[in-house]
């Protein structure tokens, strides 16, 4: 952030501006040329603030914290209000501006709104003049140029990819067409949908740089958390299957746990695709022979998590409570029993127990849950309850966007 300097000759900023005009810039248009020449957002805010005689804020979430000039001129509450207003405008809403904002102008990249430039309100101020808006419009144009130039710098493209994916992880896009256009500007056509991919490092420090991935150019991919890569492989080409398989194989060869989602043809469903892939990675269980069931249950989680909670509550939740109250291992024994296809002998060997101990515990499972692990219906419901329990726990462990 920039602290605007004042000449030493006068104690009055108003007199200084009248005598000297805007610092370093004489017209709104020169702000844009200044950015092309190397000025950054701090200097854009400083020019507008100096010309208007009031604090100016530039809030572009994908570029980080808002730029405020003069530095320290706004309270934390005012800054939060400006950031929240920017987020609402970006989502396409038309909210009433908070009291701190006298005038705000959208920052646009093509048709997409990426932020706002704000002039703050003076105490008791009413309507603002056209000159103020002219400066803000020029500031918005300059901020857009600065955003594009920043993306063009080293690491800028990766930051933009990460920001788009983090936004998608947080929730479905408010405006699908804007989301698709944003991805297109980054070089990926998601108009026909995509397959999501997620990879988690098995050992610390094994996550490859995105630029080092041979197959990485085929996917919109970024490191969204320490040791975790998420991405989207666009659909719509004859080689789409090969692209997904090649990227998954390369990530696996580099020592990462990998999961891919069910293909989603509707761009509005890509948030669900990312969540599916992330939950599958977080589960970290062998899916052989069970993959379709897990995907169906994850689908229920995404549509109505309450249904999954009910399934757990009416199957294995009583066992969890009983284990916690009596320091037993009924749930672990049931899990091992189902893993070993209903064999008490194999379960006993796996848990280093006597076979009769396993039998006693399974009898307690039936008493506590009301479901028999020996009967097909009871075994199936208990198995689904265990899967629901794993999925719900895995979903809670997902790193925040």
């Amino acid at each position: 952030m920039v602290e605007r300097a004042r000449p030493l000759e006068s104690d009055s900023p108003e007199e200084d501006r009248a005598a000297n005009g805007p610092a370093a810039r004489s017209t709104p248009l020169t702000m844009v040329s200044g950015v092309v020449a190397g000025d950054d957002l701090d200097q854009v805010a400083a020019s507008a603030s100096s010309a208007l005689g009031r604090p100016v804020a530039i809030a572009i979430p994908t570029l980080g914290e808002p730029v405020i000039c003069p530095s320290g001129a706004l309270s934390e509450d005012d800054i939060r209000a400006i950031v929240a207003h920017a987020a609402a405008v970006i989502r396409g809403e038309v909210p009433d501006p908070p009291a701190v904002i006298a005038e705000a102008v959208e920052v646009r990249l093509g048709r997409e709104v990426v932020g706002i430039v704000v002039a703050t309100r003076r105490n008791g101020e009413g309507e603002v003049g056209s000159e103020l808006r002219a400066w803000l419009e020029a500031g918005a144009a300059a901020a857009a140029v600065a955003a594009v130039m920043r993306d063009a710098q080293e690491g800028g493209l990766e930051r933009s990819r990460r920001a788009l994916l983090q936004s998608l992880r947080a929730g479905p896009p408010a405006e699908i067409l804007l989301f698709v256009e944003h991805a297109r500007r980054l070089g990926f056509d998601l108009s026909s949908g995509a397959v999501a991919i997620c990879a988690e490092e098995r050992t610390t420090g094994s996550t490859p740089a995105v630029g080092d991935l041979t197959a990485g150019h085929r996917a919109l991919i970024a490191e969204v958390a320490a040791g975790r890569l998420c991405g989207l492989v666009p659909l719509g080409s004859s080689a789409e299957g090969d692209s997904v398989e090649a990227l998954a194989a390369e990530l696996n060869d580099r020592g990462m746990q990998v999961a891919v989602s069910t293909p989603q043809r509707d761009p509005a469903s890509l948030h669900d695709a990312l969540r599916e892939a992330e939950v599958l990675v977080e589960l970290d269980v062998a899916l052989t022979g069970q993959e379709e069931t897990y995907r169906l249950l994850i689908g229920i989680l995404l549509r109505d998590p309450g249904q999954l909670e009910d399934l757990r509550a009416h199957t294995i939740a009583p066992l969890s409570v009983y284990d916690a109250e009596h320091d037993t291992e009924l749930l672990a024994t049931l899990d091992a029993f189902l893993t070993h296809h209903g064999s008490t002998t194999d379960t006993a060997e796996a848990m280093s127990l006597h076979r009769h101990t396993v039998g006693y515990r399974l009898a307690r499972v039936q008493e506590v849950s009301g479901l028999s692990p020996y009967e097909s219906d009871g075994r199936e419901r208990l198995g689904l309850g265990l899967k629901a329990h794993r999925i719900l726990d895995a979903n809670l462990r997902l790193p925040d966007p």
Side-chain angles (χ1 to χ4, degrees):
M1 296 183 186
V2 172
E3 188 70 49
R4 178 162 53 90
R6 288 190 296 181
L8 298 177
E9 290 77 14
S10 170
D11 291 331
S12 169
E14 298 290 343
E15 292 176 6
D16 291 342
R17 278 194 304 276
N20 301 318
R25 306 273 192 284
S26 58
T27 70
L29 293 178
T30 54
M31 277 198 292
V32 178
S33 59
V35 168
V36 174
D39 286 357
D40 57 15
L41 290 179
D42 288 328
Q43 290 160 305
V44 172
S47 295
S49 175
S50 179
L52 298 173
R54 67 180 76 209
V56 168
I58 302 175
I60 302 177
T62 57
L63 298 185
E65 295 297 316
V67 174
I68 313 293
C69 183
S71 177
L74 300 180
S75 69
E76 289 298 321
D77 286 344
D78 285 342
I79 293 173
R80 281 194 290 269
I82 290 171
V83 170
H85 187 70
V89 171
I90 290 169
R91 290 194 298 269
E93 301 172 10
V94 188
D96 292 331
V100 67
I101 295 179
E103 185 74 72
V105 172
E106 297 170 350
V107 179
R108 290 178 173 270
L109 294 179
R111 292 177 295 174
E112 181 181 9
V113 178
V114 297
I116 57 175
V117 178
V118 166
T120 59
R121 186 179 299 280
R122 297 192 183 106
N123 289 335
E125 184 177 38
E127 293 294 322
V128 296
S130 59
E131 181 184 5
L132 184 146
R133 185 167 183 86
W135 275 95
L136 292 183
E137 288 175 347
V145 174
V148 171
M149 293 181 69
R150 182 165 172 176
D151 276 349
Q153 296 170 356
E154 183 177 357
L157 184 59
E158 185 173 348
R159 281 194 301 270
S160 294
R161 291 179 180 181
R162 183 184 300 114
L164 183 64
L165 288 168
Q166 293 288 38
S167 174
L168 188 62
R169 290 177 71 227
E175 293 290 341
I176 299 301
L177 292 179
L178 291 179
F179 167 76
V180 171
E181 174 63 18
H182 191 171
R184 187 196 62 76
R185 287 193 293 104
L186 294 174
F188 300 93
D189 182 5
L190 301 179
S191 60
S192 298
V195 174
I197 189 165
C198 181
E200 182 87 5
E201 65 181 14
R202 292 191 178 101
T203 57
T204 303
S206 64
T207 304
V210 171
D212 293 339
L213 294 172
T214 303
H217 68 281
R218 302 173 181 173
L220 172 57
I221 190 168
E223 187 170 5
V224 297
R228 173 165 295 198
L229 297 174
C230 282
L232 298 170
V233 181
L235 298 178
S237 71
S238 58
E240 63 194 32
D242 293 340
S243 297
V244 176
E245 292 177 6
L247 182 55
E250 182 175 359
L251 290 169
N252 188 66
D253 290 343
R254 288 173 178 258
M256 303 192 79
Q257 176 79 19
V258 183
V260 299
S261 75
T262 305
Q264 295 289 348
R265 298 286 175 179
D266 183 356
S269 300
L270 294 182
H271 164 70
D272 288 352
L274 274 180
R275 283 280 297 283
E276 179 187 342
E278 284 203 85
V279 170
L280 285 170
V281 159
E282 197 67 41
L283 280 170
D284 194 22
V285 296
L287 298 180
T288 305
Q290 308 178 82
E291 181 174 341
E292 191 62 30
T293 303
Y294 271 107
R295 290 189 187 277
L296 288 172
L297 291 174
I298 291 173
I300 294 173
L301 170 74
L302 297 174
R303 292 190 303 274
D304 185 1
Q307 288 189 34
L308 223 56
E309 294 278 5
D310 287 345
L311 175 58
R312 177 169 65 177
H314 291 95
T315 52
I316 58 93
L319 301 177
S320 296
V321 173
Y322 187 92
D323 281 344
E325 292 178 348
H326 298 86
D327 194 25
T328 53
E329 294 185 320
L330 298 188
L331 199 57
T333 304
L334 172 65
D335 191 4
F337 180 71
L338 296 177
T339 299
H340 291 90
H341 310 291
S343 169
T344 55
T345 301
D346 292 345
T347 302
E349 183 177 343
M351 299 188 71
S352 300
L353 297 172
H354 193 280
R355 189 164 61 88
H356 294 306
T357 302
V358 172
Y360 168 78
R361 290 184 180 180
L362 293 175
R364 295 296 293 163
V365 166
Q366 181 172 356
E367 291 176 15
V368 173
S369 70
L371 298 168
S372 172
Y374 293 109
E375 297 176 1
S376 58
D377 181 65
R379 185 184 305 178
E380 181 178 358
R381 292 183 62 190
L382 288 167
L384 289 173
L386 275 171
K387 291 179 177 66
H389 175 65
R390 294 184 185 120
I391 289 169
L392 289 165
D393 277 2
N395 187 57
L396 288 176
R397 294 196 303 270
L398 292 182
D400 292 332

